[in-house]
Amino acid sequence: MMRKLIYSLIVICALPFMAGAQAKLITTTDKAALFARLDLKRPGLEAAGKLAAQGDYDNAAVALLKYYRQRTNATIPDYSTDDRATYAGKKLPKGVQEKADKGMQHLFFVHTGYDYFDYGKDINWQNWPVKDNEVRWQLHRMYWWEPMGLAYWSSGDEKYAKEWMLQYEDWIKKNPLGLSADNDRYAWRPLEVSERLESQLNLFIMFINSPNFTPQFLVEFLNNYANHADYLSGHYSEQGNHLLFESQRIIDAGCFFPEFSNADKWRKGGIENLNREIKKQIYPDGLQFELSPNYHVSMINVFLKALRATQLTGLENEFPQSYKNTTEQMIMALANFSFPDYVYPMFADSKLVYKNEMVKNYQKWVQVFPKNEMIHYLATEGKEGHLPAYLSYPLKTGGFYTFRNGWDMNSTVMVLRAGPRGEFHAQPDNGTFDLWVKGRDFTPDAGSYVYSGDASIMKLRNWYRQSMVHKTLTLNNQNMETCDAKLKYWKTSPSLDVLQYENQSYPELKHRRTVLFVNKTYFVILDDAIGAAKGNVGIHFQLAEGNAVTDATHTSIRTDFNDNNNLLIQTFGPAIKTVAEDGKVSYSYREEKPRPAVVFEQQKTNNNTTSFATVLYPYASGKPPVISLTKGADFDLDKGKIDLTIKINNKEEHLVTQLSN
């Protein structure tokens, strides 16, 4: 009996491909395919190569697994096997642990805008619980897998490794390329493929030393990984941030897995894309052409992650110095359109960011640009480095114009968007702005709420895309038909900063907006509706959530905060009607809050220009200022002449200037 037991144990030990949590058997064809993909002449692969050449793929896989567990010459920016010790026995943040534990039960976290979805005991990867395209796409990014890896490191419990491997194999089995056009659209969209390429490097590091990570699973993992990289290298997105994400991630793939014969192809293809696209997608002023602040930050990180991957593998010379210079310029552009609390406007599908995450970004960036004093200042929260000598600053190509009287938390800052149509994430909102005073954004952008999906989802999205929910001028409350603002004038001085642009918003109506920052204290906005169009012309304003007081008699709206920090918006012009509007703001996906909103309207009945003059005046709590505005005899914006008398609490100021090209 004992002899039979010993024999059975010997047989089991001799079958490495039957051990562990995996149910799927890997065929000889699978094994041969993997070793055909590898450069077995690389140092360290001699043993695996010799066995594979003899057709002994089982033991070749054993040798290959040993190689990867001992390998020290490849790394990526996120994790290394040494990090396991820092997590061992440590409690994970609640959200991370929850994602891991619910993921074990097939309750998957697929998107920040939703709760967990149940995908069933037998996982249904085609389940679409909410007809939001992002839910379907991002399911295939498996955001709960990395938390499972961290939970494995933290607890040492093999249940996380076993379940991850079972889910990994289940996904491969149920989502083959070509299963259906519908499934390919979501599971094999190039962006999702690239996301898996990047995240699975972290997972490889997290689970490689698990006893359940068998030679059989290694073969399956590496074949699947190479399939992804080979597919992506021939199916990049045509343009935009997707192409940049995909290129950076395939560079990581080529740098982390140089053992693949196609690794050089993957890496060089990604580098070629980034070297080309950084010239196409980044304007001379440093703005990324989608003109979305969130994506602008993401693309800075994409460019620098790619650079970092090549630095770690001794290949950084494949990026020219101009690549680094442009990325540095992007960081400077960001710093210029950010507020002193590191936050920036939610233009073009952006979401609210927080200071701590932006400080972390600057801390990473200063490592690449240690001599940049402004980046150094922002990375150290002002403890080191220096701010620039200038205040207000124009990004003229992309059309982000920043008025500011300082860089600290007591400052007043306005960021206005008036430029070309931003690609992909653009909204019809030329002229909109955020006004930030002493730590409060009084006029936050509406945000976007949701991205894409069926008719019910698109109805939600389209509300936030309306021109009339932005701080700009509309005709009959219709969306602008063209967003391509042309800068007419920009000049700064100690007493007056001036911006003027024009946008042919509708076929027969051009919007001219002139912004005056007076004594670095308050703003005057002059809006002109020029052309033959007739109808209801309105200028729209939306405030931060909270109480507000609307005064139709004085055509004004003001905030009503009790912390000595308020804003009065008052419009002047003939026969202006004050109308309350539906106001909402979305700081994050699928979250929205009500807020005050108003439109000041005039009827345009002929070819004459319809004009508004609006004062935006920050003030403390208590009684709002009494303001009047009159145009002088020489006022003529068609000739570039400004002649205004503004009286604030009986203090009179005469603004006279000539706008010249």
Side-chain angles (χ1 to χ4, degrees), residues 14-17 26 28 31 35 51 55-63 215:
L15 294 175
F17 288 98
I26 301 301
T28 300
K31 302 166 198 170
F35 287 102
L51 290 165
D56 187 356
Y57 297 118
D58 287 2
N59 285 311
V62 172

Side-chain angles (χ1 to χ4, degrees), residues 416-419 428-433 467 470-475 480-488 499-515 525-533 537-541 604 609-614 637-638:
L416 183 146
R417 194 190 95 74
D429 61 355
N430 254 345
T432 198
F433 59 85
S467 297
H470 295 87
K471 291 158 286 292
T472 190
L473 180 145
T474 63
L475 176 64
M480 296 179 193
E481 296 183 29
T482 302
C483 282
D484 190 15
K486 305 300 182 184
L487 175 64
K488 308 302 291 184
L499 163 69
Q500 186 182 83
Y501 74 88
E502 294 179 351
N503 187 74
Q504 189 69 45
S505 302
Y506 306 93
E508 294 186 305
L509 189 144
K510 177 170 63 179
H511 177 207
R512 178 174 63 202
R513 172 163 277 185
T514 307
V515 181
I525 299 180
L526 307 172
D527 287 300
D528 298 307
I530 305 167
V537 176
I539 53 171
H540 305 263
F541 297 95
K604 191 173 186 299
T609 297
T610 297
S611 299
F612 301 82
T614 304
L637 278 181
D638 290 339

